[in-house]
């Protein structure tokens, strides 16, 4: 079957938008006068409006001031139009998005949305469009006009929140390009991931002042989210982080409660193996003993070239389960998922105005959160954790971690689980909660939920080393303060090496002797690791050896994991199993190659971690320069159990490693009679190199030094850098 058709046409390089009307401009100018933006001495925008819509208008205007490009590109991606900016390399990325997110559905949702939500969506678009009107020198890469239905393209408020049941862009490309040369390979579960988060909640029984404390620590690409504050006379007063282009605080707090999201492995998307035949009636698939037609849908992906915009047409295929996105074992694989819905946006907004646990539970009933776990605390002393939110009911006789039979109705979803049925912890006797993208069954020590009480698909997440570390640091303190929770969140222990290093030492001491010409060098390196306390540090040679050696072990560790076993999601079990079974040569020879790499790169292998592990922010993302200033960083990737995650890597033309992912917006909040909070942002608030707030938190970030959050207006007014209405 021919799955695609190529069509090449010349189009304008930039799609022209209808110019802004006098009526629109007048409306924006009037609304701008109802909004005040105060920039504090860190450049953080505190947005005050008469209505919630005014606050949204001002928030989006402020975001565009700080980094319009990131705002725009998040929506270009969600519209499936990256190739119109970046060229043909993104054709299949756009197809991937278009198969999963239909913009016509977002438009339909906007039209039927409740009036209050329409007002917020319109204010979102108006705030961005007013910015473009007032800044004619800002040239959008593609979107000349923002539409009020754009926010309905997202689920959970996270730009990366797309669920496909494990089908990658490459696998989808193999199918729609007809390329059979790239066979499907099960994805590695234990690798240096670029996402993650830590969330802690401490009950009053375990705090010095008798107030609940929340620790917010998302791990994302640096500069992925700015820090904001939005207030209205309609009861809105929310502080925290937003993904660029969001109109609500994604993770943060108000005067009553706070919420922190961690990425979840809860099964919310499933694959169906369809039995397909191609006959005179076209493509058909079996279902309950009958034949159904596969629905074709034409999709045109435009892409930029030097001579203009061209287009490539595809015939997308759908079963009633969802889009066909792959072929495995002679079966078409369709994906059933919910990657955008209005309920998600409603839930995301309502939680920002929750006045405590009861209100937050009401917001949870929308069940629009498909990709997140939530750690929660409030001013009444409640702490809570929910593992997922949107959770389909399924027959447990099937293995939902693999494609299920698409030819029978027995594998259909049967509605959604009630929120009360989800894996959760509320007010645990242990007095604390943690989640670090790890199993919920160790979330609260002895108060944790029991795996046997839940279907496996609800929580297939395994344990990781951050989870192990978090349990240790939270268990040993019962008088937490904001400062102590920050110290706990910045614990430097690298638990992943607890078994790996002893295995190396044993392998070397039992199998290598002085006849090896490099014995002395290896012995010195092994001894450094043997005597190491497994804490990373700027001056630590052991950290350099461990991280560089560990990275080279990863393929071997991953290779030992069974594809369908529960251990495949458990970093701790997988690593410990490798340490116990690895051949001596795997451990020692990998260290030998690590020493050779360090000598070749730096002239010696005794290199302090902070000398090569650096933090630098320059105008061009991921284009680093050893000759330009940077800060040494003691921290390492969360992969090794590091709570304050700092994922760095080498880049062509440079010797140093530079951070790209990890701690982004970090915040500790205590809910007493008045809210008290401290925060830290990777680098700085502004995306403009000329701004004083481009890198004013850089050194603080490299050391873990927090600033005071200015939550109350009387405090904001004491630290005013600029006060203005949008457009001034």
């Amino acid at each position: 079957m021919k799955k695609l058709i190529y069509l090449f046409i010349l189009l304008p390089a930039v799609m022209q938008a209808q110019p802004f009307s006098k009526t629109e401009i007048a409306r924006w100018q009037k609304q701008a006068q109802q909004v005040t933006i105060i920039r504090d001495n860190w450049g953080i925008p505190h947005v005050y409006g008469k209505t919630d819509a005014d606050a949204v208008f001002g928030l989006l205007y402020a975001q565009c001031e700080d980094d319009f490009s990131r705002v725009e590109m998040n929506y270009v991606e969600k519209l499936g139009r990256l190739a119109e900016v970046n060229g043909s390399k993104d054709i299949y990325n756009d197809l991937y998005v278009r198969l999963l997110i239909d913009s016509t559905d977002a438009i339909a949702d906007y039209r039927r949305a409740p009036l209050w939500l329409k007002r917020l969506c319109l204010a979102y678009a108006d705030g961005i469009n007013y910015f473009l009107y007032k800044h004619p020198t800002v040239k959008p890469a593609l979107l000349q006009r923002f539409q009020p239905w754009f926010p309905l393209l997202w689920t959970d408020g996270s730009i990366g929140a797309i669920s496909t049941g494990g089908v990658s862009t490459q696998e989808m490309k193999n199918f729609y390009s007809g390329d059979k040369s790239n066979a499907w390979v099960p994805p590695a579960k234990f690798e240096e991931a670029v996402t993650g988060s830590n969330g802690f909640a401490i009950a009053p029984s375990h705090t010095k002042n008798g107030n609940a404390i929340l620790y917010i620590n998302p791990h994302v690409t640096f500069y992925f989210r700015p820090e904001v504050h939005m207030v209205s006379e309609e009861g809105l007063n929310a502080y925290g982080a937003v993904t660029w282009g969001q109109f609500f605080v994604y993770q943060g707090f108000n005067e009553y409660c706070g919420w922190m999201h961690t990425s979840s492995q809860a099964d919310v998307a499933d694959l169906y193996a369809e039995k397909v035949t191609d006959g005179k009636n076209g493509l058909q698939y079996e279902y309950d003993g009958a034949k159904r037609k596969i629905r074709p849908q034409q999709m045109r992906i435009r892409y930029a070239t030097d001579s203009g915009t061209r287009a490539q047409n595809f015939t997308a295929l759908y079963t009633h389960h969802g889009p066909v996105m792959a072929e495995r074992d002679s079966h078409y694989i369709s994906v059933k998922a919910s990657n955008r819905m209005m309920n998600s946006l409603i839930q995301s907004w309502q939680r920002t105005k929750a006045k405590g646990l009861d209100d937050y539970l009401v917001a949870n009933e929308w069940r629009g959160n498909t990709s997140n776990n939530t750690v929660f605390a409030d001013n009444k002393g409640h702490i809570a954790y929910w593992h997922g939110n949107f959770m389909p009911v399924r027959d447990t006789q099937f293995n939902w971690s693999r494609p299920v039979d698409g030819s029978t109705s027995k594998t259909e979803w049967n509605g959604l689980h009630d929120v009360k049925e989800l894996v959760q912890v509320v007010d645990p006797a242990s007095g604390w909660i943690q989640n670090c993208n790890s199993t919920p069954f160790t979330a609260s020590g002895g108060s944790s939920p029991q795996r046997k009480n839940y279907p496996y698909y609800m929580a297939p997440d395994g344990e990781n080393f951050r989870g192990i570390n978090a349990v240790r640091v939270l268990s040993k303190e019962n008088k937490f303060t904001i400062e102590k929770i920050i110290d706990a969140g910045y614990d430097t222990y690298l638990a992943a090496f607890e078994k790996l290093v002893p295995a190396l030492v044993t392998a070397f001491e039992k199998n290598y002797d002085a006849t090896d010409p490099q014995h002395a060098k290896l012995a010195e390196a092994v001894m450094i690791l043997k005597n190491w306390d497994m804490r990373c540090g700027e001056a630590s040679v052991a950290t350099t050896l461990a991280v560089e050696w560990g990275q080279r072990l990863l393929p071997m560790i991953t290779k030992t994991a069974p594809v369908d076993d529960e251990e495949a999601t458990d970093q701790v079990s997988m690593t410990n199993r490798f340490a116990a079974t690895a051949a001596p040569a795997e451990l020692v020879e990998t260290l030998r190659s690590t020493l050779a790499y360090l000598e070749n790169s730096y002239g010696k292998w005794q290199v302090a971690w902070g000398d090569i592990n650096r933090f630098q922010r320059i105008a061009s993302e991921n284009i680093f320069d050893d000759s330009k200033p940077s800060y040494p960083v003691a921290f390492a990737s969360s992969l090794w159990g590091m709570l304050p995650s700092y994922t760095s890597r080498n880049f062509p033309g440079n010797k140093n490693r530079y951070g790209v992912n990890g701690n982004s917006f970090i915040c500790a909040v205590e809910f007493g009679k008045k809210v008290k909070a401290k925060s830290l942002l990777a680098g700085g608030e502004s995306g403009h190199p000329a701004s004083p707030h481009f890198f004013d938190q850089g050194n603080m970030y490299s050391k873990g030094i927090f600033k005071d959050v200015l939550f109350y207006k009387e405090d904001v007014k004491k630290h005013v850098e600029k006060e203005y209405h949008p457009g001034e």
Side-chain angles (χ1 to χ4, degrees):
M1 199 281 293
K2 190 175 183 181
K3 304 184 186 74
L4 60 88
I5 303 170
Y6 292 97
L7 177 65
F8 296 97
I9 57 175
L10 292 175
L11 297 166
V14 179
M15 303 299 291
Q16 295 299 316
Q18 187 178 12
F20 303 132
S21 69
K22 291 182 179 180
T23 301
E24 288 176 314
I25 295 167
R27 184 177 78 245
W28 301 337
Q29 290 172 332
K30 180 179 179 181
Q31 187 162 26
Q33 293 305 304
Q34 299 181 165
V35 179
T36 299
I37 300 172
I38 300 177
R39 297 276 183 175
D40 67 23
N41 52 308
W42 296 103
I44 309 301
H46 302 261
V47 182
Y48 300 89
K50 290 185 178 297
T51 66
D52 288 353
D54 293 337
V56 168
F57 178 94
L59 177 68
L60 269 298
Y61 189 94
Q63 285 186 46
C64 290
E65 287 182 305
D66 286 331
D67 204 327
F68 170 77
S69 177
R70 287 182 182 271
V71 172
E72 180 190 16
M73 292 310 295
N74 276 349
Y75 286 96
V76 170
E77 179 181 348
K78 270 296 187 283
L79 288 163
R81 298 181 66 184
L82 279 175
E84 293 178 58
V85 177
N86 298 332
S88 60
K89 70 183 182 67
D90 277 323
I91 287 174
Y92 285 95
N93 290 326
D94 287 347
L95 179 61
Y96 191 74
V97 171
R98 299 260 193 108
L99 286 166
L100 296 162
I101 299 175
D102 191 338
S103 60
T104 60
D105 291 339
I107 295 170
D109 272 353
Y110 174 72
R111 288 172 176 165
R112 67 182 182 87
L115 182 59
W116 67 266
L117 184 59
K118 278 186 176 178
R119 286 172 176 162
L120 299 183
C121 289
L122 181 61
Y124 144 88
D126 285 352
I128 301 175
N129 290 331
Y130 187 46
F131 170 83
L132 290 175
Y133 167 71
K134 294 296 292 186
H135 296 80
T137 59
V138 173
K139 302 299 182 185
L142 182 70
L143 303 177
Q144 306 295 314
R145 172 187 289 268
F146 282 69
Q147 301 295 339
W149 51 267
F150 282 5
L152 289 156
L153 293 166
W154 291 17
T155 296
D156 301 346
S158 180
I159 192 69
I162 290 182
S163 302
T164 64
V167 176
S168 67
T169 308
Q170 181 61 54
E171 193 177 8
M172 181 276 306
K173 179 180 179 180
N174 294 348
F175 181 78
Y176 279 101
S177 68
D179 184 358
K180 303 293 185 181
S181 63
N182 297 309
W184 175 72
V185 177
K189 299 293 185 181
F190 183 28
E191 56 191 10
E192 194 151 6
V194 295
T195 57
S197 298
N198 302 333
F200 306 156
I202 312 297
S205 61
H206 279 57
T207 65
K208 180 180 179 180
N209 299 325
N211 303 316
I213 292 176
L214 180 69
Y215 186 70
I216 300 169
N217 181 205
H219 300 163
V220 293
T221 305
F222 291 161
Y223 326 120
F224 186 73
R225 294 192 179 110
E227 184 172 348
V228 304
H229 185 197
M230 54 192 309
V231 184
S232 83
E233 295 176 14
E234 294 183 334
L236 175 69
N237 189 3
Y239 192 106
V242 298
T243 307
W244 293 104
Q246 280 178 339
F247 68 66
F248 57 88
V249 171
Y250 177 54
Q251 34 204 1
F253 61 94
N254 58 34
E255 59 263 60
Y256 305 102
C257 62
W259 53 96
M260 164 61 202
H261 300 308
T262 63
S263 300
S264 179
Q265 295 298 316
D267 186 355
V268 296
D270 289 312
L271 306 184
Y272 288 82
E274 312 287 9
K275 299 176 182 178
V276 177
T277 57
D278 190 359
K280 63 180 181 180
N281 294 320
L283 285 171
Q284 297 181 311
Y285 64 105
E286 295 182 23
Y287 189 73
D288 280 352
K291 296 281 189 179
R292 291 191 176 190
K293 287 185 177 181
I294 285 186
R295 176 173 64 87
Q297 180 174 318
Q298 299 303 311
M299 289 190 182
R300 173 175 293 184
I301 307 297
R302 294 185 172 90
Y303 61 96
T305 72
D306 291 341
S307 58
T309 303
R310 296 179 182 269
Q312 185 171 328
N313 280 9
F314 296 89
T315 301
L317 304 177
Y318 292 81
T319 70
H320 74 283
H321 294 123
V324 176
M325 296 189 69
E327 184 174 1
R328 299 180 191 171
D329 301 323
S330 302
H331 289 84
Y332 282 13
I333 302 296
S334 57
V335 176
K336 186 174 182 66
S338 183
N339 282 300
R340 57 142 309 279
M341 57 177 132
M342 184 162 60
N343 283 8
S344 178
L345 189 57
I346 293 173
Q347 180 175 349
S348 296
W349 180 261
Q350 287 191 352
R351 68 183 175 224
T352 68
K353 301 182 78 170
K355 294 185 177 181
L357 179 62
D358 291 343
D359 281 357
Y360 204 90
L361 286 169
V362 171
N364 276 353
E365 291 297 335
W366 286 101
R367 292 178 289 183
N369 185 337
T370 62
S371 70
N372 292 325
N373 310 315
T374 302
V375 181
F376 172 91
D378 73 9
N379 66 351
K380 299 179 182 66
H382 296 297
I383 63 172
Y385 172 76
W386 298 276
H387 196 77
N389 177 252
F390 171 95
M391 179 55 58
V393 178
R394 284 156 283 195
D395 190 331
T396 56
Q397 71 174 301
F398 297 101
N399 180 3
W400 294 94
S401 66
R402 292 185 60 77
V404 295
D405 185 356
S407 69
T408 172
S409 56
K410 293 179 182 179
T411 58
E412 295 293 347
W413 291 357
N414 298 300
L416 297 178
H417 280 282
D418 189 276
V419 174
K420 294 178 182 178
E421 299 172 337
L422 302 179
V423 183
Q424 59 193 278
V425 181
V426 179
D427 294 333
S430 66
W432 55 267
I433 291 170
Q434 66 81 26
N435 185 261
C436 301
N437 314 114
S438 50
T439 173
F441 304 118
T442 59
S444 191
S447 303
S448 303
Q450 300 296 305
R451 184 181 290 278
K452 65 182 180 181
N453 296 332
Y454 302 92
Y456 180 75
Y457 61 72
M458 272 192 182
D461 317 59
E463 189 60 275
N464 63 31
F465 291 105
R466 277 181 293 133
I468 292 287
N469 212 10
V471 168
R472 289 173 179 170
V473 299
L474 296 181
S475 298
K476 64 184 181 183
E477 175 64 60
N478 61 8
K479 295 294 182 182
F480 274 107
T481 61
I482 282 185
E483 290 73 22
K484 285 185 177 181
I485 198 67
I486 289 173
D487 287 344
Y490 270 73
D491 188 84
T492 59
Y493 189 68
L494 304 186
F497 293 103
E498 283 183 338
K499 297 291 177 67
L500 289 173
V501 167
L504 168 70
V505 173
T506 299
F508 179 75
E509 292 179 347
K510 287 188 174 182
N511 297 280
Y512 286 74
D513 56 37
T515 60
D516 187 318
Q518 291 189 328
H519 184 271
K521 182 195 301 183
L522 284 167
E524 183 182 353
V526 169
M527 186 58 64
I528 288 173
L529 289 170
K530 183 177 182 178
N531 294 330
W532 181 40
D533 62 1
M534 297 185 194
R535 294 190 175 277
C536 61
E538 283 184 31
S540 172
V541 173
T543 304
T544 303
L545 290 174
V547 172
E548 294 285 357
W549 174 64
Q551 286 183 173
R552 289 162 176 78
L553 290 178
L554 283 181
M556 303 178 216
I557 295 172
T558 301
K559 190 166 59 176
T560 67
V563 174
D564 288 326
D565 191 88
E566 186 175 322
E567 186 181 298
T569 65
D570 193 311
Q571 294 181 1
V572 176
S573 296
M574 196 187 310
T575 304
N576 292 347
R577 174 181 172 179
F578 170 78
T581 60
E586 289 181 298
L587 298 164
V588 180
E589 295 307 314
T590 302
L591 179 62
R592 191 195 303 271
S593 66
T594 299
L595 298 181
Y597 162 77
L598 291 171
E599 287 177 331
N600 183 61
S601 298
Y602 306 106
K604 61 180 182 178
W605 61 264
Q606 302 95 331
V607 182
W609 182 235
D611 289 347
I612 63 171
N613 191 49
R614 314 292 293 186
F615 186 39
Q616 184 179 83
R617 188 178 189 185
I618 53 180
S620 299
E621 188 174 357
N622 289 353
I623 300 177
F624 298 100
D625 190 338
D626 286 345
S627 68
K628 293 184 177 180
S630 62
Y631 294 110
V633 178
F635 315 128
S637 168
S638 62
L639 182 68
W640 312 115
M642 190 78 207
L643 290 177
S645 178
Y646 186 81
T647 299
S648 63
R649 62 176 185 263
N650 296 102
F651 290 85
N654 295 290
K655 290 184 177 181
N656 291 334
R657 303 169 61 108
Y658 290 99
V660 294
N661 167 271
N663 281 12
S664 52
F665 166 76
I666 319 106
C667 189
V669 193
E670 181 175 358
F671 294 96
K673 291 182 179 179
K674 293 188 71 174
V675 172
K676 177 184 177 183
K678 290 180 177 290
S679 70
L680 182 58
L681 192 65
E685 179 76 12
S686 176
H688 303 292
S691 169
H693 305 301
F694 181 69
F695 207 45
D696 57 341
Q697 296 182 58
N699 189 47
M700 296 164 60
Y701 179 86
S702 72
K703 308 296 183 188
I705 300 171
F706 283 56
K707 63 186 185 293
D708 290 330
V709 166
L710 305 174
F711 183 70
Y712 296 98
K713 194 168 186 178
E714 59 265 30
D715 295 322
V716 175
K717 295 289 281 186
K718 295 174 185 176
H719 298 85
V720 177
E721 181 178 88
K722 182 181 179 183
E723 183 172 342
Y724 59 101
H725 300 298
E728 293 180 349

